[in-house]
Amino acid sequence: MSAEAQAGLGDRLGRMRGSFRGWRGQRPFWGGLLTLLGGIPIMYFPYANLTIGTMTIRMATTAGAGSLIIGVLLVVLGLTMWYQAHSRIFAGVAAILLALVSLVVSNFGGFGIGFLPALVGGALGIAWAPGGTEAEAGAGARAERSEDREEPEPAAAAAGANGETSELFGSGDGTKGRQHRAG
């Protein structure tokens, strides 16, 4: 392989990595991944056979279909967090509820191997918030700095020109101040 071909391959991989990083930053990627990975053992263990020597242990439960449904739903919710980022809160809450139900239905949530990632993934999906662009962040920081420069109203202006306090704060005669009425 020539040096030019290796340089072109490195540039292409760099662009692909950059585009994946941009895609990943616009959605709750880690929450979706953990939710998706949590669903796999939940739907696998009720249908698995464990063979020790000549002895076969079957982990099937009477709720095998329920485990399959919970696992498939967790995988779908993980994909929903990736491709429908605006519905991340619904997907996160549903993932947490399904993870909790899997404790009872599906061999203690796939022996904890599926329960914990699904629970954490749902929480990460709820907690994720879309970030703004760098230009928006810079504009917000400039606005905050300009608000910090404004000086508070002096106490004399708040007390009024002749030193009396406003009715809003009370007149000093024991009344609470102006009553607010509709109309």
Side-chain angles (χ1 to χ4, degrees), residues 5-172:
Q6 287 179 348
L9 181 64
D11 291 341
R12 196 170 101 208
L13 286 176
R15 282 192 309 270
M16 287 173 53
R17 183 173 180 261
S19 66
F20 176 70
R21 179 179 278 181
W23 178 83
R24 188 183 70 195
Q26 297 172 354
R27 61 203 77 245
F29 177 76
W30 295 109
L33 182 67
L34 287 174
T35 303
L36 186 133
L37 291 177
I40 293 170
I42 289 175
M43 71 177 142
Y44 171 73
F45 283 129
Y47 297 102
N49 291 329
L50 178 64
T51 304
I52 302 173
T54 59
M55 182 173 62
T56 300
I57 299 172
R58 191 129 204 246
M59 290 183 243
T61 62
T62 57
S67 299
L68 183 65
I69 291 170
I70 289 171
V72 168
L73 285 175
L74 283 171
V75 169
V76 168
L77 289 170
L79 292 172
T80 300
M81 286 184 208
W82 281 355
Y83 294 107
Q84 302 276 330
H86 60 274
S87 60
R88 70 189 185 282
I89 294 176
F90 166 76
V93 169
I96 289 172
L97 291 175
L98 284 171
L100 291 172
V101 168
S102 75
L103 283 174
V104 178
V105 174
S106 162
N107 295 331
F108 298 110
F111 301 112
I113 298 170
F115 165 72
L116 290 175
L119 192 69
V120 171
L124 286 174
I126 293 170
W128 183 83
T133 62
E134 291 180 16
E136 292 174 357
R142 283 192 299 274
E144 286 179 14
R145 278 185 260 139
S146 66
E147 290 174 2
D148 291 341
R149 286 189 204 134
E150 294 178 12
E151 295 182 19
E153 188 176 321
N162 58 358
E164 296 177 11
T165 59
S166 169
E167 283 187 41
L168 184 63
F169 300 113
S171 58

